[in-house]
């Protein structure tokens, strides 16, 4: 009898990747949910003997799903699969009832091993099922003329005029994993819990930057630092914006001593930028199988509004692929925004690399 398995994740790419990572030969009835609210309803309908749950989702996130499962006494075994790899995130989901935690992207062997360890799948039955499945597959191989070629709908010569929804979903999921690695580094350094957002990915006109990122203008005064990056035909700039009211708490968490003057605030800004920009770009590059070189950070301004910071980015290119990430620290009035701007001529190259991860 097939086991009902529910995969709850807002990313189509992540859902497919998770489904492909289930053990070969395991009889399952797979259902999908795109947010936590859909996931809870699917559990009530009996579609989730096993729930593979993301944390970062709209409508209802993974923590809220776990709370709902406990409050409503819903029957399901939950494995959290997330890009948020902070030790505190792992601890919290287990306290809320998850049996285990696996980081994104899913490692098939680790998932299979975990399912075996918890007795969710039976080793002998799986071995027998795989043996039966392998025989006809081997016999059919010589007759097959179809090869599993990577998806290459976008070439490096393609002009990107709008962002394909499938590509946006892919870049958002890649950013989610990279953002989680950066958040983990910051959390370990500051000994705090970093609240991670859902990445915002858009193709916009450079002239519209100020309007596009109006959401980060909640603060009266901000300070910003910019750092360029380049690699494999892809180039761009990372901009870190920290509201000025955050400097006192951030400096205390970093154990800075002495008067917090402009020079000390700049040092704090540079330190946070190096952590978040460096970890994010490293995580993104690893997933795309490329390497980014970073330039020296440049101060865009101190004690000014976001509009002034963005206006300094008067680039020769007219369109940019922009990725917006907002980090907040639990129990502290600290919030910083990391904005990634990819040059217009980089977009086809980035799309080409990302296309190998997409599945028709």
């Amino acid at each position: 009898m097939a086991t009902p398995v529910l995969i709850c994740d807002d990313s189509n790419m992540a859902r497919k990747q998770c489904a492909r990572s289930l053990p070969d030969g395991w009889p399952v009835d797979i259902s999908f949910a795109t947010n936590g609210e859909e996931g809870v309803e699917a559990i009530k309908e009996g579609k989730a003997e096993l729930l593979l749950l993301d944390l970062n989702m709209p409508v209802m996130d993974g923590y809220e799903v776990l709370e709902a499962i406990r409050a409503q006494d819903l029957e399901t075994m939950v494995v959290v699969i997330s890009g948020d790899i902070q030790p505190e995130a792992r601890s919290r989901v287990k306290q809320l009832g998850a049996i285990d935690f696996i980081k994104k992207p899913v490692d098939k062997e680790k998932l299979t091993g975990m399912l075996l360890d918890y007795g969710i799948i039976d080793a002998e039955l799986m071995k027998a099922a795989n043996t039966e499945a392998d025989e006809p597959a081997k016999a059919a191989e010589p007759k097959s003329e179809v090869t599993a070629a990577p998806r290459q709908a976008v070439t490096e010569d393609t002009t990107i005029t709008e962002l394909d929804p499938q590509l946006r979903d892919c870049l958002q999921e890649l950013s989610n994993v990279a953002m989680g690695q950066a958040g983990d580094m910051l959390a370990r350094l500051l000994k705090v819990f970093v609240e991670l957002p859902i990445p915002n990915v858009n193709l916009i006109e450079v002239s519209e930057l100020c309007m596009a990122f109006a959401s980060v203008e909640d603060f009266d005064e901000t300070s910003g630092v910019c750092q360029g990056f380049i690699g494999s035909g892809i180039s761009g700039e990372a901009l870190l914006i920290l509201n000025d009211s955050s400097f006192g708490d951030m400096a205390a968490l970093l154990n800075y001593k002495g008067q917090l003057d402009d020079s000390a605030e700049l040092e704090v800004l540079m330190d946070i930028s190096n952590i978040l920009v460096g970890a994010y770009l490293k995580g993104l590059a690893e997933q795309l199988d490329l390497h980014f070189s970073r330039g020296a950070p440049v101060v865009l301004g101190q004690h000014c509004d976001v509009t002034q910071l963005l206006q300094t980015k008067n680039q020769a290119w007219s369109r940019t692929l922009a990725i917006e990430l907002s980090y907040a620290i639990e129990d502290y009035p600290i919030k910083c925004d990391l904005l990634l701007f990819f040059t217009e001529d980089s977009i086809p190259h980035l799309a080409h690399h990302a296309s190998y991860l997409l599945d028709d």
Side-chain angles (χ1 to χ4, degrees), residues 1-5 22-23 25-30:
M1 183 175 180
T3 302
V5 175
L22 293 174
W26 184 28
V28 292
D29 183 8
I30 303 176

Side-chain angles (χ1 to χ4, degrees), residues 3-300:
T3 302
V5 175
L6 176 65
I7 299 174
C8 185
D9 197 303
D10 61 315
S11 167
N12 182 53
M13 171 182 159
R15 292 193 299 271
K16 289 183 177 180
Q17 198 269 338
C18 188
R20 290 194 298 268
S21 298
L22 293 174
D24 296 329
W26 184 28
V28 292
D29 183 8
I30 303 176
S31 299
F32 299 102
T34 62
N35 60 59
E37 187 173 82
E38 290 181 5
V40 171
E41 290 304 311
I43 296 170
K44 293 178 180 178
E45 294 170 7
K47 297 179 179 180
E49 184 174 318
L50 173 66
L51 170 62
L52 302 178
L53 179 68
D54 185 28
L55 291 180
N56 242 3
M57 295 182 294
V59 185
M60 179 186 285
D61 65 25
Y63 294 106
E64 292 170 320
V65 171
L66 289 167
E67 289 169 354
I69 290 171
R70 172 176 287 183
Q72 299 177 42
D73 196 24
L74 302 178
E75 292 189 12
T76 183
M77 292 178 289
V78 185
V79 175
V80 169
I81 299 177
S82 176
D84 185 353
I85 56 175
Q86 298 176 74
E88 180 64 18
R90 295 171 182 260
S91 174
R92 289 186 183 188
V93 298
K94 288 190 175 183
Q95 289 174 7
L96 287 169
I99 62 173
D100 216 327
F101 180 104
I102 296 178
K103 71 175 184 178
K104 286 185 173 182
V106 185
D107 183 295
K108 186 169 185 172
E109 290 186 4
K110 288 185 178 179
L111 177 58
T112 300
M114 183 274 296
L115 295 174
L116 285 168
D117 289 342
Y118 285 101
I120 298 172
I121 58 177
D122 183 271
E124 291 303 317
L125 289 178
M126 289 300 301
K127 183 178 179 181
N130 286 327
T131 300
E132 292 176 4
D134 284 344
E135 292 306 320
K138 289 178 181 178
E141 281 177 1
K143 299 179 182 179
S144 175
E145 297 179 358
V146 179
T147 58
R151 183 180 185 272
Q152 298 188 46
V154 180
T155 69
E156 296 176 4
D157 296 325
T158 303
T159 299
I160 306 295
T161 56
E162 61 182 26
L163 205 56
D164 178 79
Q166 194 176 16
L167 176 59
R168 176 186 279 109
D169 177 75
C170 176
L171 294 174
Q172 181 171 301
E173 181 62 16
L174 295 176
S175 291
N176 180 49
V177 173
M179 172 189 68
Q181 294 177 10
D184 179 55
M185 287 192 65
L186 188 63
R188 292 173 185 271
L189 175 67
L190 303 182
K191 296 179 175 62
V192 296
F193 182 71
V194 179
E195 298 173 347
L196 303 178
I198 296 173
N200 188 16
V201 181
N202 285 297
L203 184 63
I204 60 176
E205 301 294 324
V206 173
S207 60
E208 298 174 348
L209 284 181
C210 294
M211 289 189 296
F213 298 106
S215 62
V216 300
E217 291 194 60
D218 298 334
F219 317 115
D220 292 333
E221 290 188 333
T222 60
S223 299
V225 61
C226 181
Q227 192 167 18
F229 57 87
I230 188 170
S232 301
I234 300 168
S235 61
E237 294 184 338
L239 170 60
L240 183 83
I241 301 173
L242 184 65
N243 59 310
D244 285 357
S245 61
S246 298
F247 277 109
D249 288 314
M250 191 67 82
L253 290 171
L254 288 168
N255 295 317
Y256 277 87
K257 308 297 181 183
Q259 183 179 357
L260 193 61
D261 54 16
D262 283 357
S263 177
E265 288 182 351
L266 182 58
E267 189 174 350
V268 169
L269 186 64
M270 290 292 189
D271 284 347
I272 299 303
S273 176
N274 281 330
I275 294 168
L276 293 181
V277 174
Y280 174 87
L281 289 177
K282 182 176 183 291
L284 184 64
E286 286 176 348
Q287 294 176 88
L288 293 173
D289 195 24
L290 51 84
H291 173 76
F292 288 126
S293 296
R294 288 187 288 154
V298 176
V299 180
L300 294 180

Side-chain angles (χ1 to χ4, degrees), residues 323-339:
I323 299 175
E324 179 184 7
L325 310 167
S326 295
Y327 292 87
I329 296 179
E330 188 177 70
D331 298 328
Y332 289 89
I334 296 174
K335 184 173 182 292
C336 60
D337 292 273
L338 178 60
L339 310 178

Side-chain angles (χ1 to χ4, degrees), residues 156 233 235 317 319 343-349:
E156 296 176 4
S235 61
W317 28 284
R319 188 181 291 113
T343 61
E344 186 172 10
D345 59 2
S346 298
I347 299 172
H349 295 271

